[in-house]
Every structure is written in C-alpha cells, then in structure tokens.
Amino acid sequence: MQPSAPASAPRYDERLTAPRSWWVIAALIGISGGLVMLPLGPVPMLGGLIGAAALASVAVSSYGSARIRVVAGSLVAGDARIPLSALGEPEVLDAEEARAWRSYKADARAFMLLRGYVPTALRVEVTDPDDPTPYVYLSTRDPRALAAALGQDRTAGAGPEGREAQDQADAPTVPGTP
C-alpha cells in the first residue's frame, strides 16, 4: 500500500531549462569580457572575465528557469496562475503545428510561455468570459503528459458533489423520463 500524495503535490512539474549551447555562449562572453580588459592588466582582465561570465550566466539562467506546473486546481505557467475551471480542452501541438501557432496563427491577446528551443507545445482555450485572453500557449517537452495532468486534475478537483453531478450529466437520458 502506497501513501497518498498530499493535496498540494503537483500533478505535473516541468522546468524549461536553456540548452547547453547557451551555457557555452555564456562562457565565451566571459572570455570576451576578459579579452576586452586584457590591455589594462591581469587583474582587470580577471574582473572582466568574471563579471561578463556572471552577467551572461544570470541572463541564461533567468530565461531558462520557467516552470509549468499543475497543482491545487491551477495551471501555473511562469508568473501566471490560472484556475483549471477557466480552461477548456487542451490541444497537443506537434512541432509543425506549434510553429504555426507561434507565428501566423498567433493572437496578440494570448498568454504565451514561449521557448523557441522547445519544438512542441500545448494550447488551451480560456473559457472564462471575463478574461480577454483567448488561449494559453505553453512550450513543453511533453505536451501529452501536461494535457493528461490538466484533464486528470480537472476531474480530481471536483468534490463529491461535482463528481455526482458530472456522473448524472454523463448518464444517458430517455425521453419522457424525469
């Protein structure tokens, strides 16, 4: 028998980290900073090397630290927290379709957690009538797992009354019966 997971445990958790090549570029920027300061002497050269490498590393790390989580009845993507009740059905996008939704199909009002180095994505309609955002676009390496977590958390988030009402709504009705 396994212990049950706490209610606040994420059903899906992904960190969109920057590719390794970006870290190589950060190191090269550090070397460039050192070379710029080389004519001033060895101490300024070390300062330029360390300073430029640190700034480039902070930039790469902050851009690559975006997280996508499904936790406690909400989709948390970057700085956004969206209740699952305000979301429609998720649409898994392969590389070709994701590129289309990043470019000519994109809506300027959409919330996009976009990382160009991640080829696949998930698009979810926003069903809240008070929200002008038409959909949420999320770059993700495993869009099927994220879609499954959204669907699973939506049904698991309903209390006993919500599940009972959903079961009644799903039950077939016969005309002429109450």
Side-chain angles (χ1 to χ4, degrees):
M1 185 165 151
Q2 296 180 356
S4 63
S8 63
R11 293 190 186 278
Y12 182 84
D13 192 358
E14 178 181 12
R15 181 175 300 276
L16 300 174
T17 57
R20 290 187 184 119
S21 60
W22 289 24
W23 291 102
V24 171
I25 292 170
L28 292 174
I29 289 172
I31 291 171
S32 297
L35 289 175
V36 166
M37 301 302 283
L38 181 62
L40 302 176
V43 174
M45 180 198 67
L46 283 175
L49 174 86
I50 293 168
L55 287 174
S57 296
V58 166
V60 169
S61 178
S62 66
Y63 186 73
S65 66
R67 286 182 76 179
I68 301 172
R69 299 184 320 161
V70 177
V71 61
S74 295
L75 170 65
V76 181
D79 295 334
R81 182 178 203 94
I82 308 161
L84 294 180
S85 60
L87 295 175
E89 288 299 314
E91 178 185 353
V92 174
L93 305 174
D94 62 2
E96 186 69 28
E97 196 63 23
R99 186 175 16 261
W101 280 102
R102 283 193 307 259
S103 57
Y104 64 90
K105 286 186 177 180
D107 189 332
R109 299 171 300 152
F111 175 78
M112 299 180 92
L113 182 64
L114 175 64
R115 296 298 184 259
Y117 51 83
V118 179
T120 56
L122 185 78
R123 190 177 77 85
V124 186
E125 296 290 329
V126 176
T127 58
D128 184 5
D130 297 331
D131 192 348
T133 307
Y135 61 88
V136 176
Y137 176 97
L138 303 170
S139 292
T140 175
R141 290 186 174 94
D142 195 358
R144 294 191 197 297
L146 179 54
L150 287 172
Q152 180 183 25
D153 206 20
R154 187 176 297 136
T155 57
E161 302 84 17
R163 277 192 223 109
E164 188 176 303
Q166 183 64 33
D167 291 342
Q168 288 175 357
D170 290 342
T173 59
V174 177
T177 59

